[in-house]
Amino acid sequence: MSRQAARGTDIRKVNGELFTLTYGALVSQLMKDYENDEEVNKQLEKMGYNIGVRLIEDFLARANIGRCNDFRETADIISKVAFKMYLGITPVISNWSPSGDEFSLLIENNPLIDFVELPDGHNALNYSNLLTGVLKGALEMVQMDVDVRFVQDQLKGDNLTELRLKFVKRLEDAIPAGED
Amino acid sequence: MAALGRQKSNILDKGLGKGKPEVNIATYALLFSEIVQYCQNRVQTVPELQNRLSEMGQHVGSHLLDVLLLREKGYKRELKLLNMLLFIKSNLWKTLFGREADKLELANDDERTYYLIEKEPIVNKFISIPKDKGSLNCAAFTAGILESVLNGANFPAKVTVHWHKGTTFMIKFDESVIARDKLVEGR
């Protein structure tokens, strides 16, 4: 396994602009294939979900954190550990609902949207919708059903990008398919 | 825009940035994996898949060229073929992948053909090729970047990807490029 031997000296980082532009290539390809904002949103969320369910494994393996005691702790970990680790940013947590089951992530410098300008007529497109899928997929793998949606988007003229996360329910332990 | 009721900021008013942000390799690998799967679901054959990946890469390359020339060369174009290739081997590769490409070679029997060799491209690092698709090389994506950077800089070429000494990008320049280069050299 020469691959494993090389792992020690591996670069663990990738140029952010390569990432941004690659994401851009994906979104513009989706726009060509689907020609419909809503469909593209859906597709991006689906891809994000696939990423999330795999990313959480990498996260748990590396971040060395235990189980969260409440949703506030989860919010903290998402922002300060997960976002930091994978996108190099730390969104601000705010706008908690009184019952503590809903909060917002405020992102000022979303790396996905560097170089991006939404053409007119795409007001329904959530360009960074991949993020909602990633969060949903990753949280589902730690037994949390969470609703994630965009509230504000810098590409649409808002000052910030705001993601709203709402805790829906705790998922029961289920044996993953194919692992009995 | 009036319908939106708020002012979109103009992208040209924003700074270009120094280009040093980084993301975790896992983030990139998983995104790329989704891209490959998406492309794969829409094609039948390996060449078609590689074409699709190459097209995606071209999108990246065409956007990257200007940024790169502006930052690294004060917006001067490269005129000579060899300098352009060296620019790609070092500057472009360093920007994209954090290090120079492993090797650049000229074909023995054809002055139009160059080989850029990369032992282990980042995009291939986490991809295991299924047995029935032995020839598939997802670095077709990188080949696309390369091709559009060359075309954008007015060195029209076709770039294809091959499994040889790791991954080899075969750059086949248009006749006109070689003819022009001889003119430039002659001066």
Side-chain angles (χ1 to χ4, degrees), chain A residues 3 6-7 10-26 28-30 32-34 43 46-48 50-52 54-55 58 62 85-88 111 113-120 123 130 151-158, chain B residues 1 3-4 6-12 14 16-28 30-35 37-39 42 52 55-57 59-61 63-64 67 71 94-99 120 122 124-128 141 145:
Chain A
R3 261 184 200 202
R7 198 156 282 176
D10 261 354
I11 14 163
R12 301 291 319 159
K13 298 276 183 196
V14 171
N15 178 290
E17 287 176 345
L18 174 63
F19 172 70
T20 305
L21 289 170
T22 304
Y23 184 69
L26 172 66
S28 76
Q29 185 62 46
L30 290 175
K32 270 184 227 150
D33 292 343
Y34 289 93
Q43 195 62 37
K46 207 163 95 190
M47 292 176 148
N50 294 339
I51 292 175
R54 294 174 69 187
L55 196 65
D58 186 79
R62 292 179 203 283
M85 194 159 151
Y86 293 109
L87 287 179
I113 62 168
D114 280 337
F115 309 129
V116 179
E117 204 173 26
L118 274 193
D120 283 339
N123 291 333
L130 193 87
V151 183
Q152 296 188 72
D153 188 343
Q154 278 157 305
L155 286 180
K156 294 177 187 164
D158 298 312
Chain B
M1 209 164 294
L4 266 177
R6 44 198 166 169
Q7 188 63 49
K8 270 202 224 182
S9 70
N10 189 328
I11 196 159
L12 295 177
K14 283 188 218 152
L16 187 57
K18 293 219 167 54
K20 289 284 166 232
E22 287 180 323
V23 298
N24 196 309
I25 195 163
T27 320
Y28 192 76
L30 286 170
L31 174 67
F32 189 69
S33 137
E34 282 305 310
I35 288 178
Q37 287 176 55
Y38 175 78
C39 293
R42 302 185 139 244
R52 278 225 154 209
E55 278 168 29
M56 298 275 234
H59 178 102
V60 175
H63 287 74
L64 198 68
V67 179
R71 266 195 210 126
K94 266 193 199 151
T95 306
L96 285 178
F97 309 119
R99 60 186 168 85
E120 197 185 27
I122 282 181
N124 279 351
K125 201 173 208 165
F126 299 103
I127 290 181
S128 38
F141 179 78
I145 298 183

Side-chain angles (χ1 to χ4, degrees), chain B residues 81 133 153 186:
Chain B
L81 180 62
K133 293 194 176 60

